[in-house]
């Protein structure tokens, strides 16, 4: 059943959804490693993920991006498994593997036939405490990361604007730094920097192993004890508080980069589940994002793109699962003949409307149906189930929050949506960036050639 069919069915029914999920089994080993297992016997596959409580928001100035750099170096070998062996062994066993770094976590994962789980555990346990960090390998990988940054950020107008926007929007929150790091920091990593970061954070008492698939939880716990139980913990000192100072007025900037189209991004300072005084506020902000950008019938698409034709695209975004407070963002690209300033006014008018008028019962029903459809649809993915548990656990909310999401969304009222719009989407807490397109080199050269003719 596809997502659109699910939405249609839910719109015809009262908003009721069985939140009874397969229970998650938990065990904490003597060395502090937390192991979570969710059995899913629909196919003979297992997803195994190792989550470390460290990401770009943990990094001080001078070594920004080092968590991401270390993620790359984690594939460079140990005494038992030289560089390249990890990926070769996983592939040899018919598995897929990769890793990702975020603001609040670094995670490594494999998807394999269920009986191959010991292969995954043996390899991950080995590199959790026995990684080799060699200068020659670092030199090679620095070139890879530099190229990755060039492709994903420096040559991508939207990403480049987003990076500068975050640096302006946040004053002292570590979310102001890009996950991949600033260029000067990347160019000056030393092996000693990576070794210190690895020793500090890569330890069983700073990690969560999540397993979802065709497994028996008791057998998984026994395997975890076998492979991870002998690893020594580290002394993990709590981070210093990193609370963003209050913003005292609107901030604006213009970013001039080679691009085909202008665009803008707007962001309001908002709390998340970890920082909100009342957790309903975070869920109300989630619903508010859905009102604006919850499918083709949502307000931004319906009114600004198709209706007034002010924009070729417009969207809203909010993440309620982060370690620190973040931004409620609006992004848009103006239609031909329209300016970013006209579009900014139209987006602000949408916010004002939310502050003044209650969302109708019918609209609220539709948004909640979209959320429920997403919850139903995503449960088809073992990887997503594991990722949700790992993310909640790693940002400090606890995996139990996973089964609260649908019921909490259902409890959000139209008045609560209006209240968070009034409380948090305020002009004094707003940052705005405009992308002003500059000539693209190739186009400029072609135009010059035409003129010469």
């Amino acid at each position: 059943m596809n997502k659109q069919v699910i939405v249609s069915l839910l719109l015809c029914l009262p908003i009721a959804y069985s939140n009874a999920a397969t229970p998650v089994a938990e065990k904490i080993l003597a060395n502090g490693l937390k192991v979570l297992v969710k059995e899913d016997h629909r196919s003979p596959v297992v997803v195994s993920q190792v989550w470390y409580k460290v990401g770009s928001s943990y990094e001080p100035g001078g070594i920004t991006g080092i968590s991401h750099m270390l993620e790359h170096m984690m594939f460079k070998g140990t005494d038992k498994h030289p560089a390249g062996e990890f990926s070769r062994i996983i592939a040899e066993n018919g598995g897929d593997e990769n890793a990702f770094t975020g603001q609040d976590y670094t995670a490594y994962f494999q998807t394999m036939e269920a009986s191959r789980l010991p292969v995954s555990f043996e390899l991950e346990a080995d590199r959790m405490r026995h990684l080799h960090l060699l200068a020659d390998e670092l030199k090679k990988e620095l070139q890879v990361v530099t190229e990755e940054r060039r492709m994903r950020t420096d040559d991508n107008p939207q990403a480049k604007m987003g990076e500068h926007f975050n640096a302006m929007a946040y004053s002292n929150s570590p979310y102001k730094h890009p996950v991949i790091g600033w260029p000067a920091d990347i160019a000056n990593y030393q092996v000693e920097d990576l070794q210190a970061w690895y020793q500090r954070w890569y330890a069983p008492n700073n990690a969560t192993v999540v397993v979802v698939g065709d497994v028996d939880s008791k057998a998984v716990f026994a395997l975890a004890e076998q492979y991870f139980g002998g690893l020594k913990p580290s002394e993990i000192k709590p981070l210093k508080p990193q609370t963003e100072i209050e913003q005292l007025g609107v901030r604006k900037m213009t970013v001039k980069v080679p691009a085909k189209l202008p665009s803008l991004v707007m962001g309001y300072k908002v709390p998340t589940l970890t920082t909100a005084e009342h957790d309903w506020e975070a869920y109300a902000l989630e619903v508010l994002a859905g009102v604006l950008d919850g499918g083709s019938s949502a307000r931004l698409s319906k009114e600004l793109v198709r209706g007034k034709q002010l924009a070729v695209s417009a969207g809203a975004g909010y993440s309620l699962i982060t370690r620190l407070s973040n931004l409620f963002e609006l992004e848009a690209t103006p239609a031909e003949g329209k300016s970013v300033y006209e579009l900014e006014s139209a987006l602000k008018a949408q916010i004002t409307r939310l502050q003044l008028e209650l969302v109708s019962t019918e609209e609220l029903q539709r948004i909640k149906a979209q959320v429920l459809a997403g919850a139903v649809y995503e449960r088809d993915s073992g990887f997503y189930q594991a990722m949700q548990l790992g993310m909640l656990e790693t940002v400090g909310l606890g995996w139990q929050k996973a089964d609260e999401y649908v019921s909490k969304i259902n409890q959000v009222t139209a008045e609560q949506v209006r209240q968070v719009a009034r409380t948090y989407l305020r002009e004094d807490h707003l940052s705005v960036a405009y992308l002003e397109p500059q000539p693209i080199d190739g186009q400029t050269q072609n135009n010059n050639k035409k003129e010469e003719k």
Side-chain angles (χ1 to χ4, degrees), residues 295-298 300-311:
S296 60
S297 58
L300 296 186
S301 179
K302 181 180 178 181
E303 298 179 17
L304 301 193
V305 178
R306 300 196 307 277
K308 297 179 180 177
Q309 298 185 349
L310 285 172

Side-chain angles (χ1 to χ4, degrees), residues 262-437:
S263 62
L264 82 156
V265 57
M266 300 165 54
Y268 297 87
K269 300 273 178 61
V270 293
T272 64
L273 273 178
T274 53
T275 61
E277 185 176 353
H278 307 287
D279 67 0
W280 67 260
E281 294 180 308
Y283 292 107
L285 285 165
E286 182 92 330
V287 172
L288 194 157
V291 171
L292 293 173
D293 189 21
S296 60
S297 58
R299 292 184 181 185
L300 296 186
S301 179
K302 181 180 178 181
E303 298 179 17
L304 301 193
V305 178
R306 300 196 307 277
K308 297 179 180 177
Q309 298 185 349
L310 285 172
V312 293
S313 66
Y318 168 69
S319 176
L320 75 170
I321 304 175
T322 55
R323 190 171 66 86
L324 306 170
S325 293
N326 60 29
L327 299 173
F328 185 100
E329 294 190 19
L330 301 164
E331 295 181 325
T333 298
E336 187 175 355
K338 305 298 181 181
S339 72
V340 289
Y341 308 108
E342 291 175 275
L343 199 47
E344 179 187 358
S345 295
L347 290 168
K348 286 182 177 179
Q350 290 290 331
I351 298 300
T352 300
R353 180 182 167 192
L354 285 163
Q355 292 168 337
L356 296 176
E357 302 173 7
L358 290 175
V359 178
S360 70
T361 302
E362 181 182 355
E363 190 172 12
L364 200 60
Q365 173 91 358
R366 179 182 59 76
I367 297 306
K368 290 180 178 181
Q370 288 277 2
V371 171
L372 295 180
V376 172
Y377 199 64
E378 286 161 348
R379 284 187 181 176
D380 283 339
S381 166
F383 182 86
Y384 176 81
Q385 292 179 67
M387 188 167 176
Q388 187 181 49
L389 296 174
M391 190 182 301
L392 287 167
E393 192 64 37
T394 304
V395 303
L397 287 166
W399 59 264
Q400 295 85 350
K401 284 281 184 185
D403 285 338
E404 295 181 11
Y405 181 78
V406 171
S407 63
K408 291 288 188 179
I409 290 291
N410 266 334
Q411 293 169 25
V412 172
T413 66
E415 181 54 50
Q416 287 176 331
V417 172
R418 181 165 68 176
Q419 191 170 332
V420 292
R422 289 176 171 178
T423 302
Y424 297 112
L425 307 189
R426 294 162 48 194
E427 184 82 1
D428 285 346
H429 294 170
L430 172 65
S431 297
V432 185
Y434 311 102
L435 192 157
E436 184 178 307

Side-chain angles (χ1 to χ4, degrees), residues 31 71 74 112 126 146 151 162 164 169 193 209-210 258 272 279 296 300 310 313 348 365 370-371 398 405 441 449 453:
N31 60 11
E71 175 216 309
M74 282 286 282
M112 308 176 77
D126 183 37
T146 299
M151 291 179 62
H164 283 264
D193 298 326
V209 173
V210 184
T272 64
D279 67 0
S296 60
L300 296 186
L310 285 172
S313 66
K348 286 182 177 179
Q365 173 91 358
Q370 288 277 2
V371 171
Y405 181 78
D441 289 343
K449 287 179 181 178
K453 288 181 180 179

Side-chain angles (χ1 to χ4, degrees), residues 57-334:
S57 67
Y58 288 64
E59 300 162 356
I63 57 168
T64 62
I66 199 166
S67 300
H68 174 258
M69 187 73 232
L70 183 55
E71 175 216 309
H72 279 246
M73 295 300 293
M74 282 286 282
F75 294 87
K76 295 302 178 180
T78 64
D79 276 338
K80 291 178 67 177
H81 303 102
E85 281 293 285
F86 189 107
S87 297
R88 184 191 66 77
I89 292 171
I90 295 295
E92 195 175 69
N93 282 272
D96 296 320
E97 46 86 34
N98 215 322
F100 52 87
T101 305
Q103 293 173 318
D104 303 319
Y105 42 74
T106 310
Y108 303 83
F109 61 89
Q110 296 85 44
T111 302
M112 308 176 77
E113 193 272 322
S115 68
R116 307 291 182 173
L117 183 60
V119 175
S120 170
F121 274 18
E122 193 271 331
L123 291 169
E124 288 290 10
D126 183 37
R127 68 177 176 178
M128 183 178 284
R129 291 310 255 163
H130 305 120
L131 183 67
H132 275 173
L133 289 163
L134 304 174
D136 287 346
E137 292 293 342
L138 174 59
K139 187 176 180 180
K140 294 177 193 173
E141 211 58 31
L142 278 172
Q143 295 176 353
V144 174
V145 171
T146 299
E147 178 64 11
E148 180 183 342
R149 184 188 155 83
R150 184 190 68 77
M151 291 179 62
R152 293 188 178 182
T153 303
D154 297 330
D155 290 350
N156 183 324
Q158 297 294 332
K160 191 74 169 175
M161 178 174 71
E163 183 175 87
H164 283 264
F165 171 74
N166 285 334
M168 172 190 70
Y170 295 106
S171 295
N172 60 310
S173 168
Y175 288 172
K176 72 189 287 97
H177 301 302
V179 171
I180 200 168
W182 296 111
D185 292 348
I186 295 171
N188 288 284
Y189 296 144
Q190 303 297 317
V191 168
E192 294 77 15
D193 298 326
L194 288 156
Q195 189 67 48
W197 203 249
Y198 174 71
Q199 291 296 336
R200 181 178 180 185
W201 298 112
Y202 278 60
N205 54 322
N206 196 49
T208 301
V209 173
V210 184
V211 175
V212 174
D214 190 20
V215 295
D216 173 77
S217 57
K218 291 182 180 178
V220 174
F221 293 147
L223 281 176
E225 189 66 59
Q226 177 184 345
Y227 289 104
F228 293 96
L231 301 179
K232 293 182 179 179
S234 289
E235 182 184 357
I236 307 291
K237 295 181 179 178
L239 289 174
K240 300 285 187 182
Q242 296 171 290
T243 306
E244 173 75 1
I245 62 170
E246 183 182 2
Q247 185 172 329
L248 302 177
V250 65
R251 300 173 184 174
K252 293 190 176 185
M253 72 184 309
T254 299
V255 177
K256 299 181 179 182
V257 291
K260 293 181 179 179
L261 297 171
S263 62
L264 82 156
V265 57
M266 300 165 54
Y268 297 87
K269 300 273 178 61
V270 293
T272 64
L273 273 178
T274 53
T275 61
E277 185 176 353
H278 307 287
D279 67 0
W280 67 260
E281 294 180 308
Y283 292 107
L285 285 165
E286 182 92 330
V287 172
L288 194 157
V291 171
L292 293 173
D293 189 21
S296 60
S297 58
R299 292 184 181 185
L300 296 186
S301 179
K302 181 180 178 181
E303 298 179 17
L304 301 193
V305 178
R306 300 196 307 277
K308 297 179 180 177
Q309 298 185 349
L310 285 172
V312 293
S313 66
Y318 168 69
S319 176
L320 75 170
I321 304 175
T322 55
R323 190 171 66 86
L324 306 170
S325 293
N326 60 29
L327 299 173
F328 185 100
E329 294 190 19
L330 301 164
E331 295 181 325
T333 298

